[in-house]
Amino acid sequence: AQSVTQLGSHVSVSEGALVLLRCNYSSSVPPYLFWYVQYPNQGLQLLLKYTSAATLVKGINGFEAEFKKSETSFHLTKPSAHMSDAAEYFCAVSNSGGGADGLTFGKGTHLIIQP
Amino acid sequence: DGGITQSPKYLFRKEGQNVTLSCEQNLNHDAMYWYRQDPGQGLRLIYYSQIVNDFQKGDIAEGYSVSREKKESFPLTVTSAQKNPTAFYLCATLPGPLFGGPLHFGNGTRLTVT
């Protein structure tokens, strides 16, 4: 079975500082990996996805993530945090059907931006 | 505009009552999913459907039921057998081809049962 571990339920950074949100996954098949963002009382919005092309994936709002097979990691980064980045972030891996049978999500990381 | 509509946004029920959450999509996506979100627990898959008139249980299907009579609609019924029904429920869809595509999410329904 697939699983996702997000280290740190809360991460706090200063505005303008580097954002690093960690994600490790376990998958029995070559994975498809995703990062989503959620604002309060809303659905999830896709930030970026990895689907076996380039290992460094660029997404929206200046975020990017690097797929490292040897470390089974897919960490999310942004060089300079903005106040609008404050939200909940979820890492997800495709289930065994390549995603057709859904995604398995991590428990989320709440990103706090300090002025 | 194409999208996923979940209604209502907030729903209140008394314990022991069944309640049905609506999910409608006009994206022409084949697959639809229901997730449950609890604080600090991430999202957990309840049911999913890849084609009309067919659906499969997810990880936490007990106490829930679904139907898929139309491509556009995938309602979720929370039955009185669900022990802890208060949660945020999210509907999602997946466009074809099915492999590797991201899920698209609605804005959710927050259900409170007292």
Side-chain angles (χ1 to χ4, degrees):
Chain A
Q2 277 62 250
S3 68
V4 176
T5 301
Q6 291 185 239
L7 291 177
S9 59
H10 291 78
V11 170
S12 180
V13 302
S14 298
E15 190 174 18
L18 172 71
V19 174
L20 171 61
L21 303 183
R22 299 178 187 275
C23 172
N24 289 87
Y25 70 92
S26 171
S27 177
S28 58
V29 297
Y32 299 111
L33 294 158
F34 307 86
W35 274 100
Y36 285 87
V37 61
Q38 184 183 37
Y39 298 99
N41 289 314
Q42 293 189 21
L44 275 67
Q45 179 183 2
L46 180 70
L47 278 177
L48 49 80
K49 65 177 182 179
Y50 167 77
T51 56
S52 76
T55 57
L56 183 61
V57 181
K58 294 188 183 299
I60 63 171
N61 301 339
F63 285 95
E64 63 182 36
E66 185 172 10
F67 172 69
K68 292 187 176 180
K69 184 177 179 180
S70 61
E71 298 177 7
T72 60
S73 69
F74 191 56
H75 302 331
L76 181 71
T77 61
K78 182 174 180 178
S80 177
H82 190 272
M83 295 299 290
S84 61
D85 295 327
E88 190 85 16
Y89 290 81
F90 293 95
C91 181
V93 64
S94 53
N95 290 340
S96 59
D101 49 354
L103 303 180
T104 294
F105 286 82
K107 293 187 176 182
T109 297
H110 185 63
L111 178 62
I112 301 162
I113 311 296
Q114 295 183 349
Chain B
D1 285 341
I4 303 167
T5 301
Q6 291 189 244
S7 60
K9 189 168 181 64
Y10 298 95
L11 192 53
F12 298 89
R13 281 294 184 271
K14 294 290 187 183
E15 191 173 329
Q17 294 179 334
N18 290 356
V19 59
T20 297
L21 281 60
S22 170
C23 179
E24 302 281 332
Q25 56 109 350
N26 60 5
L27 300 169
N28 199 34
H29 289 176
D30 291 313
M32 298 185 73
Y33 307 79
W34 275 106
Y35 281 88
R36 169 182 172 139
Q37 184 178 12
D38 297 281
Q41 294 297 315
L43 280 71
R44 292 179 290 170
L45 183 62
I46 304 172
Y47 267 100
Y48 64 100
S49 168
Q50 296 180 5
I51 58 173
V52 174
N53 293 322
D54 189 42
F55 48 83
Q56 286 76 41
K57 292 181 179 180
D59 299 319
I60 56 165
E62 185 175 351
Y64 298 97
S65 65
V66 293
S67 63
R68 186 86 185 277
E69 298 177 1
K70 301 186 300 181
K71 187 175 184 178
E72 300 79 18
S73 179
F74 191 42
L76 173 74
T77 297
V78 184
T79 75
S80 57
Q82 169 50 233
K83 290 181 170 41
N84 295 297
T86 294
F88 190 50
Y89 290 88
L90 288 158
C91 177
T93 66
L94 184 67
L98 296 180
F99 288 87
L103 296 185
H104 297 243
F105 283 86
N107 281 327
T109 291
R110 187 168 296 281
L111 173 65
T112 302
V113 177
T114 58

